[in-house]
């Protein structure tokens, strides 16, 4: 991430650490759980905190909470709102980043993935039961930052409702993805794929932008319209992530693990639209890779097939074009596309659109 984001990222990290502290101090404990029985000790609580902190401290681009803060800056600048409106947005970083990391822990379990960000996945290190429970708790812990905020009761309610709706949509998108990768013979249409991704990946981009717009002083209508733009940015981001998986491999993951997991990514869909006769062959490669693992010869055979038809390149071009178009729409929405925040939003996606999630 560029140095121009350093100070903003520092505010984000501070917020994340304060709502997921290394030790379960009394103030934090009361804020999160209320008054607990005296027989509950720090070790019990660490069973929740440690798996989540470990993943969060491994990094991640933090582009979602950063986008939230920058959107608050964008609207606050356009409407001459006080700086506190922007600070409020950065204080809500856990709302977005905790939900994202919770989804990653569950995603790795559901996909049977062994690694995340270059290290063993949470369920490998801490056990399946602990990982499931800790990640589920992290979804709920994410909203504690709203509770601690200085927003009015009305605005807090709006934020809670927004957050919970987006989480429900996130799980709908994941349900669609799971259904498809469990069935090697089923290939969704492009419209079905887009609908899935708008929920699975687009929902957190939408949450980030809508939260930022509301914090910065925007109206509910403005938040909804910008949120619709954001879900398309998230869709483009997922497409680039799919492409990266089949080319260089995503950071901390192995090239082609989407083939092993049976993911019906856009390159797969585009390939079968132009080479329908490969349907059975590709399905068989998915099955073979699923049985034999990441070192299966079927992984590279499938990738070669997708490259030969140009499907990987087409998906890459489409994802890049979608991000560029929608980022342009977002930064010009309030009529101040030359502002510092608008330029930073453009720079943010120029830096990450080629790298995936």
């Amino acid at each position: 991430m560029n140095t121009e984001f350093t100070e903003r990222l520092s505010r984000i990290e501070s917020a994340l650490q304060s709502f997921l502290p290394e030790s379960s101090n009394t103030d934090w404990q009361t804020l999160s759980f209320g008054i607990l029985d005296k027989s509950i000790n720090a070790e019990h609580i660490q069973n929740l905190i440690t798996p989540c902190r470990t993943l969060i401290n491994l990094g991640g681009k933090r582009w979602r909470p950063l986008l939230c803060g920058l959107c608050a800056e964008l609207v606050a600048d356009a409407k001459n709102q006080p700086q506190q409106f922007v600070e409020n947005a950065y204080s809500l970083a856990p709302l977005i980043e905790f939900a994202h990391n919770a989804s990653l822990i569950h995603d790795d379990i559901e996909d049977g993935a062994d690694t995340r960000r270059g290290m063993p996945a949470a369920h490998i290190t801490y056990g399946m039961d602990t990982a499931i429970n800790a990640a589920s708790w992290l979804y709920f812990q994410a909203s504690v930052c709203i509770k601690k905020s200085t927003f009015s009761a009305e605005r807090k309610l709006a934020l809670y409702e927004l957050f919970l709706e987006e989480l429900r949509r996130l799980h709908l998108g994941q349900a669609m993805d799971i259904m498809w990768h469990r069935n090697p013979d089923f290939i969704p249409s492009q419209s079905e794929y887009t609908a899935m991704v708008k929920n699975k990946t687009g929902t957190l981009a939408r949450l980030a932008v809508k939260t930022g717009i509301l914090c910065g002083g925007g109206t509910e209508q403005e938040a909804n319209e910008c949120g619709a733009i954001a879900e398309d940015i998230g869709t483009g981001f997922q497409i680039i992530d799919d492409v990266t998986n089949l080319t260089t491999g995503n950071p901390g993951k192995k090239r082609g693990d989407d083939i092993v997991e049976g993911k019906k990514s856009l390159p797969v869909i585009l390939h079968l639209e132009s080479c329908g006769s490969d349907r059975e062959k590709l399905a068989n490669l998915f099955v073979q890779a699923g049985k034999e693992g990441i070192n299966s010869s079927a992984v590279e055979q499938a990738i070669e097939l997708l490259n030969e038809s140009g499907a990987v390149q087409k998906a890459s071009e489409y994802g890049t074009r979608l991000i560029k178009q929608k980022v342009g729409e977002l930064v010009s929405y309030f009529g101040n596309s030359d502002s510092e925040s608008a330029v930073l939003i453009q720079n943010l996606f120029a830096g990450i659109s080629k790298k995936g999630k």
Side-chain angles (χ1 to χ4, degrees), residues 184-185 278-290 298:
D185 297 319
D278 284 341
R279 191 184 189 93
E280 183 177 354
K281 181 178 182 180
L282 197 55
N284 290 336
L285 290 173
F286 274 131
V287 172
Q288 181 183 342

Side-chain angles (χ1 to χ4, degrees), residues 258-294:
D258 278 358
I259 302 296
V260 176
E261 294 164 13
K263 291 293 182 70
K264 308 303 166 54
S265 62
L266 186 59
V268 173
I269 295 168
L270 292 176
H271 175 82
L272 291 178
E273 283 184 352
S274 61
C275 305
S277 60
D278 284 341
R279 191 184 189 93
E280 183 177 354
K281 181 178 182 180
L282 197 55
N284 290 336
L285 290 173
F286 274 131
V287 172
Q288 181 183 342
K291 290 178 179 178
E292 298 175 354
I294 194 63

Side-chain angles (χ1 to χ4, degrees), residues 28 45 59 65 90 97 105 117 136 149-150 161 163 215 226 232 238-239 245 255 281 284 296 322:
W28 175 88
I45 297 174
Y90 282 102
E97 194 66 14
I105 294 174
R117 293 173 180 163
S136 296
S149 72
T150 58
E161 289 180 341
F163 177 65
C215 286
C226 289
D232 285 331
Q238 181 63 56
I239 292 169
N245 184 277
R255 166 181 153 108
K281 181 178 182 180
N284 290 336
S296 171
L322 183 62

Side-chain angles (χ1 to χ4, degrees), residues 110-174:
E110 290 158 357
D111 291 343
D114 294 334
T115 61
R116 172 64 65 177
R117 293 173 180 163
M119 298 295 288
H123 65 281
I124 301 296
T125 301
Y126 300 101
M128 189 76 73
D129 49 359
T130 296
I132 291 173
N133 190 56
S136 296
W137 168 78
L138 191 59
Y139 279 124
F140 297 103
Q141 178 62 16
S143 67
V144 174
C145 60
I146 300 176
K147 178 182 178 181
K148 190 178 180 180
S149 72
T150 58
F151 291 117
S152 67
E154 182 181 9
R155 181 48 57 93
K156 284 184 179 182
L157 178 60
L159 289 168
Y160 280 129
E161 289 180 341
L162 167 62
F163 177 65
L164 292 172
E165 180 178 279
E166 297 301 348
L167 283 191
R168 291 191 292 268
R169 294 181 69 159
L170 171 67
H171 285 78
L172 171 60
Q174 182 70 347

Side-chain angles (χ1 to χ4, degrees), residues 11-278:
R11 279 186 275 176
I12 289 169
E13 292 304 319
S14 177
L16 297 180
Q17 296 301 322
S18 67
F19 287 97
L20 199 63
E22 190 168 353
S23 61
S24 50
N25 62 71
T26 304
D27 290 342
W28 175 88
Q29 180 176 304
T30 302
L31 181 66
S32 184
F33 301 103
I35 304 299
L36 293 175
D37 190 285
K38 291 182 180 179
S39 63
I40 296 176
N41 60 43
E43 184 179 1
H44 300 136
I45 297 174
Q46 284 300 316
N47 215 31
L48 292 173
I49 295 176
T50 301
C52 301
R53 273 186 61 87
T54 299
L55 177 59
I56 288 171
N57 288 343
L58 283 175
K61 299 177 182 66
R62 310 290 195 245
W63 70 264
R64 295 166 183 85
L66 185 53
L67 179 60
C68 175
L70 290 172
C71 282
E73 293 181 41
L74 187 70
V75 64
D77 176 68
K79 295 175 179 264
N80 296 313
Q81 302 286 16
Q83 178 63 26
Q84 184 57 47
F85 282 33
V86 173
E87 294 302 324
N88 288 341
Y90 282 102
S91 74
L92 295 184
L95 191 69
I96 301 149
E97 194 66 14
F98 285 2
H100 171 55
N101 280 269
S103 73
L104 295 181
I105 294 174
H106 281 167
D107 207 26
D108 287 339
I109 293 169
E110 290 158 357
D111 291 343
D114 294 334
T115 61
R116 172 64 65 177
R117 293 173 180 163
M119 298 295 288
H123 65 281
I124 301 296
T125 301
Y126 300 101
M128 189 76 73
D129 49 359
T130 296
I132 291 173
N133 190 56
S136 296
W137 168 78
L138 191 59
Y139 279 124
F140 297 103
Q141 178 62 16
S143 67
V144 174
C145 60
I146 300 176
K147 178 182 178 181
K148 190 178 180 180
S149 72
T150 58
F151 291 117
S152 67
E154 182 181 9
R155 181 48 57 93
K156 284 184 179 182
L157 178 60
L159 289 168
Y160 280 129
E161 289 180 341
L162 167 62
F163 177 65
L164 292 172
E165 180 178 279
E166 297 301 348
L167 283 191
R168 291 191 292 268
R169 294 181 69 159
L170 171 67
H171 285 78
L172 171 60
Q174 182 70 347
M176 295 170 71
D177 196 22
I178 290 171
M179 182 177 71
W180 297 342
H181 76 235
R182 282 188 173 183
N183 182 355
D185 297 319
F186 178 77
I187 305 296
S189 65
Q190 277 198 58
S191 60
E192 288 174 315
Y193 168 84
T194 300
M196 180 274 288
V197 174
K198 280 187 175 182
N199 287 293
K200 180 178 177 178
T201 305
T203 190
L204 291 179
R206 189 169 55 239
L207 173 63
V209 168
K210 292 179 73 171
T211 299
I213 299 299
L214 291 175
C215 286
T219 66
E220 185 175 341
Q221 180 179 344
E222 289 168 339
N224 288 335
E225 291 175 356
C226 289
I229 296 171
E231 70 179 19
D232 285 331
I233 294 174
T235 298
F237 198 65
Q238 181 63 56
I239 292 169
I240 295 300
D241 191 72
D242 292 343
V243 168
T244 303
N245 184 277
L246 299 172
T247 51
T248 60
N250 301 110
K253 292 280 189 177
K254 295 181 179 178
R255 166 181 153 108
D257 63 355
D258 278 358
I259 302 296
V260 176
E261 294 164 13
K263 291 293 182 70
K264 308 303 166 54
S265 62
L266 186 59
V268 173
I269 295 168
L270 292 176
H271 175 82
L272 291 178
E273 283 184 352
S274 61
C275 305
S277 60
D278 284 341

